[in-house]
């Protein structure tokens, strides 16, 4: 077999393998995206999304309380800090009770 023809054949095989791997990666990403969209639309996925949104809201609420505590202009840190923490815990308990009832 001619060495030039063998070189061209090897080049074509390598390029075909690279293109095939790239196309496979693109198709796999597309299918994964479609599966994730379908999972989010399913009742189980919707519940997970709702749970994540509620958890995010809880974390944002807690962060807001902590920011308020940290920037409190009143210097009575000890008593105010304890009261703020208790209010945060009570608010969290109320939200959990509402979640269980609703």
């Amino acid at each position: 077999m001619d060495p030039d023809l063998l070189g061209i054949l090897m080049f074509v095989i390598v390029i075909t393998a690279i293109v095939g791997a790239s196309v496979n990666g693109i198709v796999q990403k597309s299918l994964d995206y479609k599966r994730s969209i379908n999972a989010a639309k399913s009742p189980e996925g919707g519940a997970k999304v709702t749970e994540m949104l509620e958890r995010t809201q809880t974390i944002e609420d807690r962060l807001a309380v902590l920011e308020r505590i940290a920037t409190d202009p009143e210097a009575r840190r000890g008593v105010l800090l304890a009261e703020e923490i208790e209010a945060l815990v009570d608010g969290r308990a109320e939200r959990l009770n509402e979640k269980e009832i609703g």
Side-chain angles (χ1 to χ4, degrees):
M1 188 175 246
D2 187 23
D4 291 334
L5 184 61
L6 187 60
I8 292 172
L9 183 62
M10 291 301 287
F11 180 74
V12 169
I13 291 172
V14 169
I15 294 297
T16 304
I18 292 172
V19 169
S22 298
V23 169
N24 183 37
I26 293 169
V27 169
Q28 191 65 34
K29 291 286 184 186
S30 175
L31 291 175
D32 289 344
Y33 175 73
K34 288 179 182 179
R35 286 183 194 127
S36 68
I37 293 297
N38 288 337
K41 289 180 181 178
S42 73
E44 297 165 353
K48 288 180 183 178
V49 169
T50 303
E51 181 182 338
M52 287 174 43
L53 289 173
E54 289 174 358
R55 178 123 173 103
T56 302
Q57 185 61 44
T58 301
I59 292 171
E60 288 176 355
D61 293 344
R62 295 179 91 183
L63 180 62
V65 170
L66 292 173
E67 287 175 346
R68 208 168 357 115
I69 291 170
T71 58
D72 188 10
E74 310 224 355
R76 302 178 337 173
R77 296 273 181 207
V79 174
L80 289 176
L81 181 60
E83 291 174 357
E84 291 286 338
I85 290 173
E86 286 300 318
L88 178 63
V89 170
D90 291 342
R92 180 174 173 217
E94 288 175 8
R95 279 195 302 276
L96 288 175
N97 288 337
E98 289 174 2
K99 180 180 172 184
E100 290 174 359
I101 293 172

